[in-house]
Amino acid sequence: MIDTYVPNGSSFAGDIDHVILVITAITGFWFFLAEAVLFYLIIKYGEQEGVRAKYVAGEDPKEKRWVAWPHYITLLFDIYIIFAAISVWQDVKQTMPQADETVRVIAQQWAWTFVHPGADGKLDTPDDIRVVDELHVVKGKTYHFELQSRDVLHSFSIPIFRLKQDIIPGRTVRGWFKPTLTGGYDIQCTEICGIGHGIMPARIIVETPEDHAAWVLALTPTQAAITPSEQPTQLGGMP
Ligand SMILES: [Cu+2]
């Protein structure tokens, strides 16, 4: 159902949607039932000629049951919701599966810098690719991300992944995701981070391995084109 509006694009998106749908179904059921009973009672016991209003305190055990039983049933549903939520939290936030690659996400007022590992697949090497407001990843690969902020609190949110993680200045906040859908989708900052918060959008491009390799190659021409024996001359020639 949520898919109609925001596609499900990560390995854990379905689990999160399940918890949200269960909560919506349970609260929705009780909401409509409670409203139906309320309106039924309003109509049935509305003002009537010659009948005086009665104050019902709910002290009679027969009346108390109307409060107690829905209360017990709601508690049972709550316990189910808590266990479902803890299990998803454990899988998504407390467990870090082995990563195929790591990307660094640097937030600032009001832009994102995404540092991708280049052809070598490793960060902090000369072939890293830094791109503003565009993150390129491969479908089916598991990514770790390292979130950093240059100034204030920001929040890294990719709605199709059902991913949201606050970024705290002075810290590196880590997490993971595994894209399951190719295409270009929104990245949003979801922490009010100043007057330009609303103009801090970015895009995530989920590609096939071939498209991603072509993108990496296009952005690292010197690294890809030169052979290892030529490399020292090239690097030595740089100021
Ligand atoms: Cu922000």
Side-chain angles (χ1 to χ4, degrees), residues 107-110 112 152-155 189-193 197 200:
Q108 71 189 90
Q109 290 173 315
W110 291 281
W112 301 91
V152 298
L153 285 172
H154 297 273
S155 186
C189 179
T190 43
E191 182 80 46
I192 297 285
C193 56
H197 167 69
M200 199 180 159

Side-chain angles (χ1 to χ4, degrees), residues 81-169:
I81 290 172
I82 289 167
F83 275 99
I86 287 176
S87 137
V88 172
W89 184 266
Q90 175 70 27
D91 289 347
V92 177
K93 296 284 189 183
Q94 303 290 107
T95 315
M96 289 276 272
Q98 192 74 34
D100 297 313
E101 262 185 32
T102 301
V103 287
R104 188 170 298 134
V105 177
I106 304 162
Q108 71 189 90
Q109 290 173 315
W110 291 281
W112 301 91
T113 304
F114 299 106
V115 187
H116 308 73
D120 65 356
K122 289 190 193 103
L123 273 184
D124 300 315
T125 52
D127 71 345
D128 286 358
I129 302 171
R130 300 169 79 88
V131 182
V132 173
D133 289 344
E134 212 174 85
L135 173 61
H136 284 250
V137 293
V138 176
K139 178 187 162 184
K141 267 195 181 181
T142 301
Y143 285 86
H144 282 185
F145 55 78
E146 296 178 355
L147 305 178
Q148 293 172 355
S149 169
R150 289 211 177 115
D151 35 50
V152 298
L153 285 172
H154 297 273
S155 186
F156 181 56
S157 167
I158 306 179
I160 67 148
F161 290 178
R162 313 292 189 265
L163 170 72
K164 192 179 280 186
Q165 178 62 56
D166 283 2
I167 311 174
I168 300 153

